Amino acid sequence: MSTRKLHGGRRRTLLRIRYQLLGAIFSAIVLPYLLSPTMGSEGLQAATLSNSIIASFFAVTIALYFLRRVSIYPGFNEGLYVFPTLTATYGMAILVLFAFRLDYSRFHVVASFCASLFWFLFIFLVVRRNEVYRMAVVPGGAVGTLMRIPKVEWVELVDADQPLEEFYGLTADLRANLTNEWERVIASAALGGLPVFHFRQVTEALTGRTEIEHLSENTLGSINPNQAYIKIKQVLDWVAAAVGLVVLGPLIAVLAVAIRLETTGPAFFKQERIGYRGKTFNVYKLRTMRVRTEDVSGPSGAKDVVDRLKDAMTLEADPRVTRLGRFLRRSRIDELPQLINILRGEMSWIGPRPEAIALSKWYEKELPFYVYRHIVRPGITGWAQINQGHVVEKDAVLEKLHYDFYYIKNFSYWLDVIIILKTFKTVLTGAGSR
């Protein structure tokens, strides 16, 4: 379920896709044509005008489809991605025109882009921002947790005869022992066309977390994620990693030399971690910490469990991090050697973050169903990383685990696109680094 579905049949007119599409077509095609200085003259050939209109139509339609498709995920602010999305779709349209040597009107395409940009910004920044969501809540069960979720006006019903016309939807704990009176309210609301949701559906749609109590069909929908997409994603990962290693190889080599010049020890950090289907593998990173004497000369097996846990954790303002290492961690450049892990099929670009064995074993003892996160390949970035960042405390890891479960449940190309876009923002701001 998505946050868009919470609106039900009471969306404002401009939130309906047909009106958004009509407005986009008017902005991208009709308005530029009316404003064209060559309108009504023979200076602009019919073929040139047709090519411009067709290119603009596909660019704006694809942009609208993309923005609506990815906006169902929690925390996605469409307004921030209107400009890059339109830039990408119009850029692809122009590349196609160039590739097939088709004439087009530069004025029409540029005017179409600007008018479409204004239209989408109007929808996403003005209309959606002012939209107020009011949800009726049937008392009983665990619905009290909904009240802590912001950006929604939750109204707990006190009377079974209370009118529901003013609400976007009705939510209830459908597993609770509700009275016959409230069950009739739920049934009547559904028959009347008002969307009715289980409170966990609403919580998941608004928070981006899937809280698991039992590994059951009712909780996850499917225990195994989309197997076809797993294979497709692995191929895409491998191709992107191969290209990335060729392009970024020289940068990695230069940084490796700089690390050796700054501090003693190896340029690369290698650590055994838990990966896909619970198998262990060595993850590679550019070293960002000073190497202790016992790390170089002492056998790893000589350390006790407490020491291994301390080594696996990176603390806030950790004194072991070098000056260059802080830059590498903030920019995430230290992760680049993991392209090798992707080429070896051990990791993906996107997935749950692989943990050190010591931490993983500890979490498995403390947190239920922790091992389930290994059902997909671990990633360099992921849904939990962009929403929460680096954590080590048990309670914070449990919350992070809920983000991982949400990713596995909604495992898809579109969610990966969201993660990539938000990862760029994280890299630029350095949020969550230690």
Side-chain angles (χ1 to χ4, degrees):
M1 189 202 72
S2 69
T3 52
R4 296 295 176 270
K5 291 181 180 178
L6 296 179
H7 305 169
R10 297 179 175 274
R11 295 176 183 172
R12 293 182 179 179
T13 300
L14 286 178
L15 293 180
R16 297 180 184 275
I17 185 170
R18 57 177 176 270
Y19 294 109
Q20 290 185 11
L21 181 59
L22 288 174
I25 291 175
F26 178 82
S27 302
I29 297 175
V30 179
L31 189 60
Y33 175 76
L34 295 176
L35 296 176
S36 174
T38 57
M39 185 190 72
S41 69
E42 297 180 357
L44 189 63
Q45 296 181 359
T48 301
L49 179 61
S50 298
N51 294 336
S52 304
I53 290 176
I54 293 173
S56 299
F57 173 79
F58 279 103
V60 75
T61 302
I62 294 172
L64 176 60
Y65 174 75
F66 173 83
L67 289 170
R68 287 187 65 89
R69 186 64 184 83
V70 297
S71 65
I72 67 174
Y73 295 102
F76 184 82
N77 186 345
E78 304 99 319
L80 296 177
Y81 298 97
V82 167
F83 180 77
T85 299
L86 285 172
T87 300
T89 56
Y90 273 87
M92 288 188 293
I94 292 175
L95 285 177
V96 171
L97 293 172
F98 270 120
F100 289 93
R101 298 179 180 274
L102 300 175
D103 293 330
Y104 68 97
S105 169
R106 292 183 178 85
F107 173 85
H108 186 99
V109 173
V110 172
S112 174
F113 173 84
C114 295
S116 302
L117 179 63
F118 176 82
W119 172 249
F120 283 122
L121 288 177
F122 171 75
I123 292 174
F124 294 123
L125 295 184
V126 179
V127 178
R128 292 188 190 276
R129 178 173 294 179
N130 295 328
E131 187 75 358
V132 178
Y133 309 133
R134 302 190 76 234
M135 288 290 294
V137 181
V138 174
V143 294
T145 57
L146 292 171
M147 306 303 172
R148 298 194 295 267
I149 301 177
K151 300 181 180 180
V152 176
E153 183 180 350
W154 304 103
V155 179
E156 187 170 0
L157 301 177
V158 295
D159 187 351
D161 296 325
Q162 186 172 343
L164 302 176
E165 290 80 6
E166 61 186 44
F167 298 105
Y168 290 108
L170 177 71
T171 183
D173 185 348
L174 300 178
R175 296 180 180 175
N177 292 322
L178 301 175
T179 63
N180 293 336
E181 188 178 30
W182 285 120
E183 287 185 348
R184 279 194 291 269
V185 169
I186 295 172
S188 298
L191 289 174
L194 185 68
V196 176
F197 305 106
H198 182 49
F199 83 102
R200 288 196 180 278
Q201 288 179 289
V202 178
T203 302
E204 180 179 321
L206 295 174
T207 64
R209 300 193 300 267
T210 298
E211 299 182 10
I212 291 183
E213 292 181 351
H214 305 285
L215 288 178
S216 64
E217 293 291 324
N218 292 332
T219 304
L220 285 169
S222 175
I223 295 296
N224 296 311
N226 189 323
Q227 295 299 309
Y229 182 58
I230 285 181
K231 296 184 181 299
I232 295 173
K233 183 180 178 183
Q234 187 178 9
V235 174
L236 296 176
D237 284 338
W238 194 94
V239 173
V243 174
L245 199 58
V246 171
V247 174
L248 299 173
L251 174 62
I252 296 174
V254 170
L255 291 173
V257 173
I259 292 171
R260 291 296 303 273
L261 292 175
E262 183 182 29
T263 59
T264 58
F268 295 95
F269 170 79
K270 181 177 73 172
Q271 187 181 57
E272 197 173 15
R273 298 195 179 188
I274 303 292
Y276 184 46
R277 295 180 175 174
K279 297 179 181 178
T280 61
F281 71 102
N282 288 316
V283 68
Y284 299 97
K285 300 174 66 174
L286 289 168
R287 182 172 58 83
T288 58
M289 289 186 174
R290 295 177 178 84
V291 180
R292 301 190 307 185
T293 305
E294 58 268 28
D295 291 335
V296 177
S297 58
S300 59
K303 297 181 181 180
D304 59 25
V305 175
V306 175
D307 286 337
R308 288 198 297 271
L309 284 174
K310 289 181 178 179
D311 288 343
M313 295 179 181
T314 303
L315 306 176
E316 192 73 37
D318 199 311
R320 296 174 295 173
V321 179
T322 64
R323 183 172 55 181
L324 176 60
R326 294 197 183 282
F327 166 75
L328 296 178
R329 282 175 172 268
R330 182 177 178 81
S331 61
R332 270 53 172 198
I333 294 177
D334 63 316
E335 311 278 358
L336 289 180
Q338 290 169 39
L339 295 175
I340 298 173
N341 294 116
I342 297 177
L343 289 174
R344 294 169 61 174
E346 297 164 337
M347 289 184 64
S348 170
W349 285 94
I350 302 169
R353 188 71 187 143
E355 296 289 358
I357 291 180
L359 281 176
S360 185
K361 295 298 183 184
W362 178 49
Y363 294 150
E364 287 177 21
K365 293 179 180 178
E366 297 290 334
L367 304 175
F369 316 122
Y370 179 83
V371 295
Y372 179 69
R373 71 196 296 272
H374 303 317
I375 200 169
V376 295
R377 283 181 176 81
I380 296 177
T381 185
W383 185 246
Q385 290 91 294
I386 62 173
N387 281 286
Q388 194 179 28
H390 180 81
V391 297
V392 293
E393 295 80 9
K394 187 182 73 172
D395 292 341
V397 171
L398 178 58
E399 184 177 354
K400 186 174 183 179
L401 190 60
H402 293 156
Y403 283 115
D404 287 336
F405 289 161
Y406 179 89
Y407 175 75
I408 294 169
K409 181 177 181 179
N410 297 277
F411 188 67
S412 66
Y413 164 80
W414 294 107
L415 185 53
D416 281 349
V417 169
I418 296 297
I419 294 170
I420 291 172
L421 292 175
K422 299 192 77 170
T423 296
F424 285 135
K425 178 182 177 182
T426 301
V427 170
L428 291 175
T429 60
S433 61
R434 288 194 175 185

